Amino acid sequence: TGCAGNASASVMRLIRTEGTVGVSDEGGEAVSLAENLSLYSGYHMGTETKSYAWINLDSVKLTKMDEESEVEIQKEGKALEIVVNSGELFFNVTEPLEEDETLDIRTSTMTVGIRGTCGWVRAVDEEHMMVYVLEGTVQCTVTDPKSGKNVTDAISGGEKAELILCPEKEEKCEIVKEKLELYEIPLFVLTELFEDDRLCEKINEASGLDVSREGLPERCLDKGREEMEQENWEVSAGYLTMAAELAPELTEAYVLRGNVSVFSGETEENLNLAQADYETALEQDETDVQAWLGLADISIRRGAYDEALDILQEGLDKTGNDSEIAEKIEELKSGTVTDSQHKTRRMSSYDE
């Protein structure tokens, strides 16, 4: 599986690293990192947690490895392949390739051809690969290694595709295209886009995705709220996560994501996720009323009413006697208790 495109790479260099990055040669021997390290055919590179690597193929072709990723370089003349064994790889080819140049990003059975394109790929496993295109077009091919039969399709800006090899099915090769949503762009890609205003404009023109840095956290927050109101839980959580990653001080993103976890299904796992989000919001701002109410709501849903009351009493103190918290305290003390979705949780009054 893979995505292909054309690029000249007379000299490939590892131009920058962050965190822990390893390089080995064709024989598996470790290569010491150096400034603008030259990379040759057969070289392998790997990144660990919170680690990234930037590979410059020439002045107009750049790739970036995400954390916990592994790639291999294959080069013959003007034909270049980057084999993604695991993880994710961002690519940005700012000028169309020459006719005699090729740049393919691939796995063992899938190929993505790149020509003047920006996007990223994710190697899921040997039979699945995800391709995301922000601007330009890539040619994707899935090949059945036994029969040699393949399926090819073009993926353009604003689209994503799942490349699938299904050995057990009659139609063994499949490419499924869908619309790419803004919240699906990972942070390791966004940080590259933020450095290039013109590229952000081109992406917006090509796909309608507004990736400009200014106001993006707030736009994601608004979109997350809108999707939550429509009960599109997964999409809402995606936008709220992006808002929180871009602006950790935006406590409302954590609170709303906590609400999404609870509203999407009251499992213990979801309650734990919501509790963690409310607690994170309070670490950022201990006067956040909705975070205190959300935290107490988790205890109410678990039937721990005394614990909920303790949480609210602390919240009342931290927020300077907020009226909404005070009302919830009175509800717990004197009568029927409801959760944040107005479902009755207790009929008896609180026994002081």
Side-chain angles (χ1 to χ4, degrees):
T1 304
C3 291
N6 294 349
S8 172
S10 55
V11 180
M12 291 175 287
R13 298 186 185 279
L14 182 62
I15 60 169
R16 179 183 167 195
T17 64
E18 184 177 310
T20 304
V21 177
V23 180
S24 60
D25 63 20
E26 189 173 13
E29 294 293 323
V31 176
S32 298
L33 296 183
E35 187 175 350
N36 290 321
L37 177 69
S38 296
L39 303 172
Y40 302 100
S41 187
Y43 271 36
H44 287 74
M45 280 158 288
T47 56
E48 296 188 9
T49 303
K50 296 183 179 179
S51 302
Y52 309 91
W54 287 258
I55 304 168
N56 198 347
L57 309 178
D58 61 25
S59 61
V60 295
K61 304 168 188 69
L62 174 77
T63 62
K64 176 187 178 183
M65 295 172 60
D66 191 17
E67 63 177 345
E68 299 179 334
S69 299
E70 182 189 343
V71 305
E72 178 183 351
I73 299 292
Q74 295 291 342
K75 182 176 182 290
E76 185 175 348
K78 291 188 176 183
L80 173 66
E81 289 185 340
I82 302 178
V83 183
V84 182
N85 294 321
S86 63
E88 300 188 61
L89 181 75
F90 167 75
F91 56 87
N92 182 24
V93 180
T94 58
E95 293 181 10
L97 306 180
E98 300 295 335
E99 286 301 320
D100 61 344
E101 297 177 317
T102 61
L103 168 58
D104 291 348
I105 298 174
R106 69 172 183 85
T107 64
S108 58
T109 58
M110 306 177 189
T111 304
V112 182
I114 315 300
R115 297 187 69 91
T117 316
C118 179
W120 77 100
V121 301
R122 176 164 60 91
V124 181
D125 54 44
E126 291 184 356
E127 298 176 352
H128 296 83
M129 183 181 191
M130 295 298 301
V131 181
Y132 307 84
V133 181
L134 295 167
E135 187 265 332
T137 300
V138 302
Q139 203 73 19
C140 295
T141 304
V142 182
T143 304
D144 178 11
K146 290 186 177 179
S147 68
K149 293 183 178 179
N150 62 57
V151 171
T152 298
D153 204 349
I155 316 300
S156 298
E159 292 182 328
K160 64 178 179 179
E162 182 178 9
L163 281 55
I164 308 167
L165 179 65
C166 306
E168 69 281 359
K169 290 186 178 181
E170 185 174 346
E171 295 295 328
K172 301 185 185 305
C173 303
E174 190 176 3
I175 297 176
V176 181
K177 294 196 294 186
E178 292 184 89
K179 180 183 177 183
L180 173 61
E181 298 287 349
L182 179 63
Y183 77 87
E184 296 178 283
I185 305 175
L187 196 58
F188 93 101
V189 171
L190 281 173
T191 54
E192 298 304 303
L193 305 182
F194 290 160
E195 296 179 5
D196 190 335
D197 291 341
R198 177 57 189 140
L199 178 58
C200 290
E201 291 173 6
K202 289 173 67 177
I203 290 171
N204 197 356
E205 292 167 3
S207 63
L209 296 170
D210 185 357
V211 294
S212 56
R213 183 167 197 160
E214 186 176 354
L216 183 56
E218 291 75 18
R219 295 199 302 276
C220 289
L221 186 66
D222 291 342
K223 186 67 174 176
R225 189 185 298 109
E226 176 186 318
E227 295 291 344
M228 183 175 69
E229 291 171 355
Q230 297 175 18
E231 299 186 3
N232 295 327
W233 307 124
E234 184 178 351
V235 176
S236 175
Y239 276 109
L240 295 171
T241 296
M242 178 178 276
E245 287 179 339
L246 292 170
E249 71 281 2
L250 210 58
T251 58
E252 188 179 359
Y254 294 103
V255 173
L256 290 177
R257 189 173 66 178
N259 295 347
V260 167
S261 294
V262 172
F263 297 167
S264 61
E266 197 174 317
T267 64
E268 190 58 30
E269 179 183 5
N270 283 353
L271 292 180
N272 288 337
L273 288 171
Q275 180 177 337
D277 271 338
Y278 297 141
E279 289 173 347
T280 299
L282 290 171
E283 288 172 7
Q284 301 278 358
D285 180 7
E286 64 179 14
T287 68
D288 192 310
V289 172
Q290 297 307 313
W292 285 112
L293 290 169
L295 199 57
D297 185 61
I298 297 298
S299 295
I300 289 171
R301 290 171 185 268
R302 288 171 170 158
Y305 302 110
D306 288 349
E307 180 180 86
L309 187 59
D310 289 342
I311 290 169
L312 291 169
Q313 293 284 11
E314 183 180 358
L316 190 69
D317 177 60
K318 298 292 187 183
T319 60
N321 298 316
D322 176 79
S323 59
E324 199 172 350
I325 293 178
E327 287 176 13
K328 197 65 182 178
I329 290 174
E330 289 307 308
E331 179 185 315
L332 274 162
K333 285 183 175 181
S334 62
T336 300
V337 177
T338 61
D339 62 27
S340 57
Q341 292 172 291
H342 311 295
K343 178 181 176 181
T344 301
R345 294 287 175 162
R346 188 185 69 176
M347 293 297 294
S348 59
S349 60
Y350 180 79
D351 186 8
E352 293 185 87

